[in-house]
Amino acid sequence: MKIGIYDSGIGGLSVLKELLPVFPTDHFIYYGDTRNAPYGSKSKEALWKINTVILNFFESNKIDILIVACNTSSALFLDEIKKYSNVPVFELIQPTAEKIKIDKFKKVTVFGTTRTIDSHCYKTSIQLLAPNTNVQEIACPLWVPFIETSSLIDTNEISIYADMSEKVLHAINWETEAIIYGCSHYPFLNRHLEKTWGHNSSNHPVKWINPAQTLASLLKKEKQRISSPVDSVPKIEFIITKSSTLFTTLSKQIIKNSTTTHNLNII
Ligand code: DGL
């Protein structure tokens, strides 16, 4: 099966990482729009134009399913993306809302880009399924530009440390039970965040939720139903719109345990 997956840049790699074990013999086409990153504070009009370029690209590549690995795009345009594409579309928000319902969290914080937070997509989807869940949404506009330009995600010298602490402490002092990475770039900060802030102010453990893992569990269950009968050659094609050393490094790290062949092109 040919799986199209896209994001503004490296964020979707955190999603690809979770999907590779589910689809080890399939053909992924990953579109990282590094030239237009970050998406999170661009106008809705500009973002729709950008999205249509990507959707047209996938249409001409005859994919079987599409993964929107960008919360900002699905927050703003999920219905339009579904109408525009003639293949099944999967994204990160709805499966995460279902998880919150199943896990019965009562106080949940969502970190996301300005556009995602302003859309209230997580709050709306969660409260539709679990009306008694309190959802606090916090925009983190500095995080994606930091992640996209940092050469070493694991560095201890995180230049946005003060901003990060302020936002996480806000959640922790509110006694949040779970924090959702409402932007696919943020799981790259997880090592640091989860280690530093594993408990809230009443010493209750905080569950850091990576929507990519939730989507991967869903797709594992759906795999049989959605798989196309035509076998594809297992491979990963990375397409980026501007050269990025960080993308090259991270994409290699993500696929290091996979035997699938891969290549990277800049368009
Ligand atoms: N990683 C994307 C998201 O999940 C886009 C972030 C950005 O480019 O601002 O929202």
Side-chain angles (χ1 to χ4, degrees):
M1 174 163 74
K2 235 185 198 183
I3 306 170
I5 171 167
Y6 75 98
D7 178 55
S8 64
I10 63 161
L13 292 174
S14 73
V15 181
L16 180 66
K17 180 175 177 228
E18 305 300 332
L19 299 189
L20 276 176
V22 182
F23 299 103
T25 57
D26 290 270
H27 175 176
F28 281 93
I29 305 181
Y30 182 108
Y31 190 112
D33 195 6
T34 39
R35 181 159 29 97
N36 290 309
Y39 281 1
S41 29
K42 286 198 162 54
S43 75
K44 205 172 166 186
E45 293 67 32
L47 285 173
W48 177 240
K49 248 192 209 157
I50 286 171
N51 268 263
T52 53
V53 170
I54 300 174
L55 296 175
N56 290 339
F57 167 86
F58 281 127
E59 183 164 18
S60 57
N61 276 277
K62 309 246 171 300
I63 55 167
D64 297 298
I65 66 167
L66 176 65
I67 313 285
V68 185
C70 171
N71 288 269
T72 307
S73 297
S74 34
L76 296 177
F77 311 117
L78 186 60
D79 289 342
E80 287 88 340
I81 293 171
K82 283 184 173 165
K83 267 186 221 143
Y84 207 96
S85 322
N86 43 24
V87 294
V89 175
F90 294 88
E91 50 80 52
L92 300 160
I93 301 163
Q94 190 59 29
T96 308
E98 278 156 26
K99 178 175 171 56
I100 297 297
K101 183 190 172 188
I102 292 165
D103 289 352
K104 298 190 168 65
F105 291 119
K106 286 286 160 263
K107 278 187 141 189
V108 175
T109 302
V110 184
F111 290 148
T113 65
T114 305
R115 289 267 160 248
T116 299
I117 296 307
D118 287 353
S119 77
H120 304 295
C121 59
Y122 272 98
K123 189 174 187 160
T124 312
S125 310
I126 293 170
Q127 291 184 339
L128 217 61
L129 297 173
N132 297 328
T133 306
N134 284 309
V135 182
Q136 166 177 249
E137 300 163 296
I138 302 179
C140 309
L142 300 182
W143 296 14
V144 170
F146 165 74
I147 294 166
E148 282 284 337
T149 51
S150 81
S151 51
L152 274 172
I153 293 284
D154 286 335
T155 184
N156 287 324
E157 290 166 30
I158 294 180
S159 62
I160 52 160
Y161 189 81
D163 181 76
M164 242 165 62
S165 310
E166 186 200 311
K167 293 194 158 115
V168 181
L169 283 173
H170 194 81
I172 277 175
N173 291 333
W174 183 64
E175 300 185 352
T176 200
E177 295 163 354
I179 300 180
I180 299 173
Y181 290 119
C183 167
S184 54
H185 280 69
Y186 301 167
F188 288 113
L189 299 170
N190 183 59
R191 275 246 292 263
H192 175 78
L193 289 172
E194 199 169 11
K195 192 173 77 194
T196 317
W197 290 287
H199 291 82
N200 69 20
S201 55
S202 40
N203 214 25
H204 189 281
V206 171
K207 174 88 182 136
W208 289 85
I209 296 179
N210 178 356
Q213 290 169 349
T214 316
L215 174 64
S217 315
L218 168 80
L219 287 171
K220 211 168 166 182
K221 287 187 219 134
E222 295 276 294
K223 193 177 169 183
Q224 199 78 11
R225 190 180 65 79
I226 58 176
S227 280
S228 97
V230 185
D231 280 345
S232 56
V233 183
K235 70 174 162 193
I236 307 166
E237 281 179 77
F238 292 105
I239 316 286
I240 52 175
T241 51
K242 184 181 156 197
S243 137
S244 155
T245 317
L246 179 64
F247 189 97
T248 311
T249 312
L250 270 180
S251 57
K252 280 191 188 139
Q253 269 178 32
I254 298 291
I255 55 172
K256 77 172 181 291
N257 296 326
S258 147
T259 50
T260 315
T261 59
H262 63 276
N263 57 47
L264 187 144
N265 287 308
I266 303 166
I267 55 170

